[in-house]
Amino acid sequence: MNNGSNMKKVSAVVVTYNRIELLKENIESLLNQNTKSLNNIIIINNNSTDGTKEYLETINNKCVKIYHLNENIGGAGGFNYGIRKFIEETTDDFVWIMDDDTIPKLNALSELILASDKIGAFGYLASNVRWINGEFAKMNIPSIDSKNWLEKMDFDNAYPRIKKATFVSLLFSRSIIIKYGLPIKDFFIWGDDTEFTQRISINEPSYFVTKSVVIHKILKNEGSSIFEDSSDKSRLARYRYGFRNGYYTSKKNGKNALAIQWLYIAKTLIKLMFFKTTNRYFKIKMLFKGTVQGFFFNPVVEKLQENEGENDE
């Protein structure tokens, strides 16, 4: 991972929490990327309790920079912290962000770099996220205006414009981070990626890179749905963040977006009230709690200065 002077340099940021075996696989795939552009791997350990800290402390590679947090600040907080470290403690050109259960193909980064060369200026580039069986990962399909674009896609020559994407293999330039700030850490989980990518793509053309493939090793290939979720109450309670954060983002994006959010809330409420589901009343409580919190939720978008921390590398 040693770079030539003219090569674009990249920091990967990985946020991890209690998925040690997937994290091992993730780090191995990063270290084996078929490009020398990857200059730093920044691991944010969100106070894991499964031996992750002990494992990370065995890594002897100066390119792997490890930060152990004293509390779990959620995915949003973890990405906020990791991207901040990218700006403050490296001079790399791009940041490549992902969860610990993201396993990039060995050419995933080189295809993103190739796309950046071909496209020129961009807000962000999103990889082609697949599930373990090769199907599209349903949680990670980016928002594109064209109907049935997945079926029509020319996967050898395609960089379609996108409006939003998830934090599963996205590439941002240093200048874009400086201009638009960090993900909102107060989101904690859910919706931080939607808000952040929409914040950028509303002004900066952003693209889906079909040949940059990563595998998202989630347990089931399905989207997040409070209606279908059969988890216990402790996990279902997280959905209040989704409703709160979604309401904030739609409110910020104007009347049409807010109307769409209200329609989603109404449809979800009807399903929870009249169709068979587990923990019905608790789920309704989380919907109302999150939505009401969204009325008053007004988090700060943090911005950094370029001179906040160049180090000697």
Side-chain angles (χ1 to χ4, degrees), residues 167-229:
F167 282 170
V168 180
S169 190
L170 299 182
L171 189 78
F172 302 87
S173 70
R174 188 178 197 88
S175 60
I176 285 291
I177 299 298
I178 294 297
K179 183 175 180 180
Y180 289 94
L182 298 171
I184 298 174
K185 64 183 178 183
D186 291 339
F187 270 42
F188 191 71
I189 57 170
W190 287 346
D192 51 313
D193 44 14
T194 297
E195 187 282 328
F196 188 61
T197 53
Q198 286 183 321
R199 189 196 315 168
I200 293 170
S201 62
I202 194 170
N203 294 315
E204 312 284 349
S206 302
Y207 302 90
F208 179 68
V209 181
T210 57
K211 294 177 75 174
S212 173
V213 178
V214 303
I215 307 302
H216 195 190
K217 288 197 169 183
I218 48 179
L219 291 177
K220 296 180 180 179
N221 189 19
E222 56 189 30
S224 58
S225 165
I226 192 171
F227 175 77
E228 296 176 358
D229 199 323

Side-chain angles (χ1 to χ4, degrees), residues 8-275:
K8 292 178 178 178
K9 294 189 290 184
V10 179
S11 287
V13 169
V14 180
V15 177
T16 188
Y17 178 69
N18 282 354
R19 286 194 284 223
I20 184 172
E21 295 304 322
L22 287 170
L23 177 64
K24 290 178 180 179
E25 193 174 350
N26 167 269
I27 292 173
E28 181 181 8
S29 68
L30 290 175
L31 291 172
N32 289 324
Q33 288 294 298
N34 69 351
T35 173
K36 293 181 179 180
S37 288
L38 189 55
N39 196 46
N40 290 290
I41 300 173
I42 299 170
I43 308 292
I44 309 302
N45 174 21
N46 234 336
N47 200 28
S48 298
T49 58
D50 64 346
T52 291
K53 181 177 181 180
E54 293 75 13
Y55 156 67
L56 288 172
E57 289 176 348
T58 68
I59 297 176
N60 183 22
N61 188 318
K62 66 179 182 180
C63 297
V64 180
K65 295 175 168 55
I66 300 164
Y67 299 89
H68 298 294
L69 305 184
N70 294 324
E71 61 178 325
N72 180 3
I73 59 176
F79 284 117
N80 174 290
Y81 190 91
I83 296 172
R84 178 185 293 277
K85 291 300 178 185
F86 156 70
I87 294 293
E88 293 178 348
E89 301 190 11
T90 84
T91 57
D92 293 342
D93 304 294
F94 296 102
V95 60
W96 182 28
I97 68 175
M98 67 193 73
D99 287 322
D100 52 5
D101 56 359
T102 303
I103 313 301
K105 296 289 188 180
L106 299 188
N107 67 340
L109 179 57
S110 62
E111 290 294 342
L112 291 173
I113 296 297
L114 178 62
S116 75
D117 290 337
K118 289 183 176 180
I119 293 169
F122 61 87
Y124 57 88
L125 302 178
S127 290
N128 183 350
V129 185
R130 303 291 182 130
W131 194 47
I132 54 178
N133 66 355
E135 296 176 351
F136 288 100
K138 293 179 181 178
M139 287 183 64
N140 310 115
I141 298 175
S143 175
I144 297 180
D145 283 331
S146 175
K147 291 183 179 179
N148 301 319
W149 65 273
L150 289 176
E151 291 80 4
K152 298 175 181 177
M153 185 65 64
D154 174 1
F155 280 90
D156 290 324
N157 300 285
Y159 299 128
R161 288 272 300 270
I162 57 179
K163 298 185 293 184
K164 60 183 178 181
T166 62
F167 282 170
V168 180
S169 190
L170 299 182
L171 189 78
F172 302 87
S173 70
R174 188 178 197 88
S175 60
I176 285 291
I177 299 298
I178 294 297
K179 183 175 180 180
Y180 289 94
L182 298 171
I184 298 174
K185 64 183 178 183
D186 291 339
F187 270 42
F188 191 71
I189 57 170
W190 287 346
D192 51 313
D193 44 14
T194 297
E195 187 282 328
F196 188 61
T197 53
Q198 286 183 321
R199 189 196 315 168
I200 293 170
S201 62
I202 194 170
N203 294 315
E204 312 284 349
S206 302
Y207 302 90
F208 179 68
V209 181
T210 57
K211 294 177 75 174
S212 173
V213 178
V214 303
I215 307 302
H216 195 190
K217 288 197 169 183
I218 48 179
L219 291 177
K220 296 180 180 179
N221 189 19
E222 56 189 30
S224 58
S225 165
I226 192 171
F227 175 77
E228 296 176 358
D229 199 323
S230 58
S231 301
D232 59 26
K233 289 183 179 180
S234 64
R235 288 186 63 82
L236 288 173
R238 302 177 306 160
Y239 279 93
R240 71 184 185 276
Y241 295 116
F243 287 106
R244 181 196 66 179
N245 299 343
Y247 192 89
Y248 164 80
T249 300
S250 61
K251 180 174 59 176
K252 190 184 75 169
N253 288 333
K255 292 182 179 179
N256 288 342
L258 190 57
I260 292 170
Q261 179 68 13
W262 273 115
L263 182 61
Y264 165 70
I265 291 169
K267 287 182 176 179
T268 304
L269 179 60
I270 290 169
K271 289 177 70 175
L272 290 173
M273 291 177 65
F274 298 109
F275 294 88

